[in-house]
Amino acid sequence: MARQEYYRKNYWLITLFVVLATALFIIALGLAKKYVRNVIENEFVGKKVDVLEQNIATYNDFFFNKIPEVSFYQGYLDSTTATIYADSILAKYSFVNRIVFFDVHIGHSTSGLSIHPKLVYEFTRDHLKGNIIYDEKENEKLDLRVADDFLGMAGKLDEFIGLADTSRSINNDEINKFFYTILPEKITYMNIPRKEDIKVYKQFEEGNTHHVSIYEHDIFTYYIDPKEIKLENNHPELYEQIEIKPLFYSTLDTDPDLLTTESPLPGALAAYKLYFTSKRSFLADEINRRFLPFALLISVGYFVLFIIGYLIYRNVSFNNRMFQLQYDFVNNLTHEFKTPVSVIKIAGNNIRSAKELKEDTRKHYGKILDEEADKLNNLLNTLLSFTQIENKSIKLKYEQVVLHEFCENIVNSYKIRYPDFHLHYLIKDVSTFYTDRVLLGSVFQNLIDNAYKYSEAQKRELKITIFKQKKQIMFKFVDKGIGIPKNELVNIFKKFYRVKSQYNQQGSVGLGLAFCKELLMFMNGDIQVTSTEGKGSTFLVTLPYAE
């Protein structure tokens, strides 16, 4: 009962381990999934900067590289060169839908500096060659909105000339302040004058009339449509849809599954924003993709944990099994010793208490004492030999063995010992070979004893066949005993292992076949078994052959 309770506790412990490990596995997967989801949702908000920079790259190129090209012409753009320049912009930048070019004259007047437009051109994709919308000679009135752009830049130039320091170059702050006007959907730019021109302009402003020349100056107004920017989603795993919306746009969609974020556009695009949307179900694919390595890593950890648990369980089970085998071994060994000792003691008491012994009685008791002493001696020799073979502490004593003589002696001794045992041998095409006679005799003895012990009374029969096969000699032992279950065949050569059957109830140490296996391995041989329950077993012993 104590042992059953012990194993029951083991199974509860295993069940608890499996439950806890599985719970930790599920919790770890849940936490990993939550972590990945949080990372994706944070990236949904954070990565919009990457998308914004990607999509305003063409606007930045236009603003920082293409617009300043106007200054390269130093105010000498005419209708032809202005057309070429405007055409290059309209062809490359889809968000620029109209360009107005002011061909400006700067000179001296009674009031000081004179700034006025000579010609004004308008360029569109429909009229790439440009339309003249103002000509000074025609005394036309300039459109009020166009006039505001010009007057604004003329005022900035006049202010700049008044403050300009001709001893140094113009810095970036001055360029941004006086030569750009940036409004929502519109940029006005005036070319930066040379230092010599600035000196002349200051003289005009101061009333110096020595200079009567007229100076050329260029002003461009670019009309921007942010909705025409070609959007590119460089994070398609995060953003299901990207749109340009008015700055104060607010969705009316109240779907809790919808995630949104936005980023305002810079400069002339400032009246609009980049608007990002994704459904949680859309992000699920990316979450699962990134979660997969975590799941695999956790699964590997779970598998390793189970392997460790299994190894611990196997080790504990092995130790339990060894304990049980050793326990059975001690019990059986005690029984094996106890029986002969009891018989010897009884025989000794009978001899001692008898007043006189007849000859046949004396021989009978003598035979009993001799047989029981042999049993004890054989048992002790087996244990001692097993230990010596395992420790490699004995050496093989090779000698020439005449097989017929060797088998005849064994068969005759067993006929005397077991009269009801039908033991036969057959030798084919071989007569002698070199081996250790004593160790070979021990193999024969154990296999013959098992054949007798594990056979029913009416089927105690064993046939030994000896034959040569290539460079090996084979010993085949075929009995008609009770046979061995298939699931036990892998265990019968293990030390202290006993097949559970009624034939083992009288006690068995569990060393016989294990001893044979060790002996044959020590002799560079092998042993194999085939068996059918109820019909018998066949043991095939193989040893290297040398004449």
Side-chain angles (χ1 to χ4, degrees), residues 185-343:
E185 302 182 53
K186 184 168 66 175
I187 300 172
T188 302
Y189 177 80
M190 177 171 55
N191 74 280
I192 303 169
R194 295 171 297 181
K195 188 182 295 185
E196 294 79 9
D197 293 342
I198 295 173
K199 291 178 180 180
V200 173
Y201 296 163
K202 287 184 75 70
Q203 291 176 2
F204 286 162
E205 196 171 64
E206 292 169 358
N208 189 336
T209 58
H210 292 92
H211 293 281
V212 294
S213 301
I214 301 297
Y215 288 80
E216 299 282 345
H217 215 69
D218 299 325
I219 298 175
F220 279 85
T221 297
Y222 309 88
Y223 291 86
I224 309 297
D225 184 0
K227 296 190 294 296
E228 292 299 323
I229 292 178
K230 294 179 180 178
L231 297 179
E232 180 180 347
N233 185 2
N234 56 335
H235 284 288
E237 75 281 3
L238 296 175
Y239 305 112
E240 187 174 10
Q241 189 172 12
I242 300 176
E243 301 172 282
I244 292 179
K245 295 289 186 180
L247 186 61
F248 300 104
Y249 170 82
S250 180
T251 180
L252 298 177
D253 195 337
T254 58
D255 185 359
D257 187 50
L258 186 68
L259 292 177
T260 63
T261 188
E262 56 192 46
S263 182
L265 296 172
L269 311 174
Y272 289 82
K273 63 184 177 183
L274 210 54
Y275 191 72
F276 305 83
T277 58
S278 291
K279 289 188 176 182
R280 295 183 189 274
S281 55
F282 172 79
L283 293 178
D285 291 338
E286 180 65 10
I287 291 172
N288 291 334
R289 186 184 70 82
R290 296 199 196 180
F291 171 67
L292 182 60
F294 288 94
L296 290 176
L297 185 63
I298 293 170
S299 298
V300 169
Y302 181 71
F303 177 74
V304 170
L305 184 63
F306 257 88
I307 290 295
I308 293 172
Y310 169 73
L311 292 176
I312 294 173
Y313 169 74
R314 191 180 69 170
N315 186 58
V316 171
S317 298
F318 176 77
N319 289 336
N320 286 335
R321 180 63 181 164
M322 289 302 299
F323 173 79
Q324 182 179 353
L325 290 174
Q326 291 174 6
Y327 178 81
D328 291 343
F329 168 72
V330 171
N331 283 341
N332 295 329
L333 187 64
T334 301
H335 182 273
E336 290 292 315
F337 271 100
K338 189 174 182 179
T339 301
V341 169
S342 298
V343 173

Side-chain angles (χ1 to χ4, degrees), residues 294-440:
F294 288 94
L296 290 176
L297 185 63
I298 293 170
S299 298
V300 169
Y302 181 71
F303 177 74
V304 170
L305 184 63
F306 257 88
I307 290 295
I308 293 172
Y310 169 73
L311 292 176
I312 294 173
Y313 169 74
R314 191 180 69 170
N315 186 58
V316 171
S317 298
F318 176 77
N319 289 336
N320 286 335
R321 180 63 181 164
M322 289 302 299
F323 173 79
Q324 182 179 353
L325 290 174
Q326 291 174 6
Y327 178 81
D328 291 343
F329 168 72
V330 171
N331 283 341
N332 295 329
L333 187 64
T334 301
H335 182 273
E336 290 292 315
F337 271 100
K338 189 174 182 179
T339 301
V341 169
S342 298
V343 173
I344 290 173
K345 187 173 182 179
I346 292 171
N349 286 335
N350 289 340
I351 293 174
R352 185 179 61 185
S353 61
K355 293 182 180 180
E356 63 177 79
L357 291 174
K358 295 182 180 179
E359 182 65 20
D360 57 344
T361 303
R362 182 181 64 79
K363 289 182 179 179
H364 174 69
Y365 284 126
K367 181 180 178 183
I368 291 174
L369 293 173
D370 188 55
E371 288 178 351
E372 298 304 322
D374 285 343
K375 286 182 182 180
L376 289 174
N377 187 55
N378 288 337
L379 186 57
L380 290 172
N381 286 338
T382 299
L383 289 172
L384 179 62
S385 299
F386 207 135
T387 303
Q388 290 177 333
I389 290 172
E390 284 188 322
N391 295 327
K392 310 296 182 185
S393 60
I394 63 173
K395 294 183 179 180
L396 290 171
K397 297 179 181 179
Y398 285 101
E399 61 179 298
Q400 189 179 48
V401 175
V402 179
L403 292 172
H404 179 77
E405 178 186 335
F406 176 82
C407 293
E408 189 67 25
N409 290 335
I410 290 178
V411 168
N412 289 335
S413 65
Y414 272 94
K415 283 182 177 179
I416 296 172
R417 186 174 178 183
Y418 301 130
D420 59 336
F421 191 23
H422 301 287
L423 183 59
H424 310 280
Y425 71 90
L426 175 64
I427 302 173
K428 297 181 180 179
D429 302 326
V430 62
S431 58
T432 63
F433 88 111
Y434 278 89
T435 189
D436 189 308
R437 181 189 297 272
V438 176
L439 298 186
L440 181 63

Side-chain angles (χ1 to χ4, degrees), residues 12-54:
W12 275 110
L13 186 62
I14 293 168
T15 304
L16 181 61
F17 172 79
V18 172
V19 170
L20 287 177
T22 304
L24 288 174
F25 175 68
I26 295 172
I27 292 171
L29 287 178
L31 291 175
K33 189 70 171 285
K34 184 178 180 180
Y35 168 76
V36 172
R37 184 182 296 109
N38 289 338
V39 168
I40 294 296
E41 291 182 358
N42 289 336
E43 286 187 3
F44 177 82
V45 176
K47 293 290 185 179
K48 64 183 179 182
V49 177
D50 293 345
V51 180
L52 175 65
E53 291 177 354
Q54 175 76 20

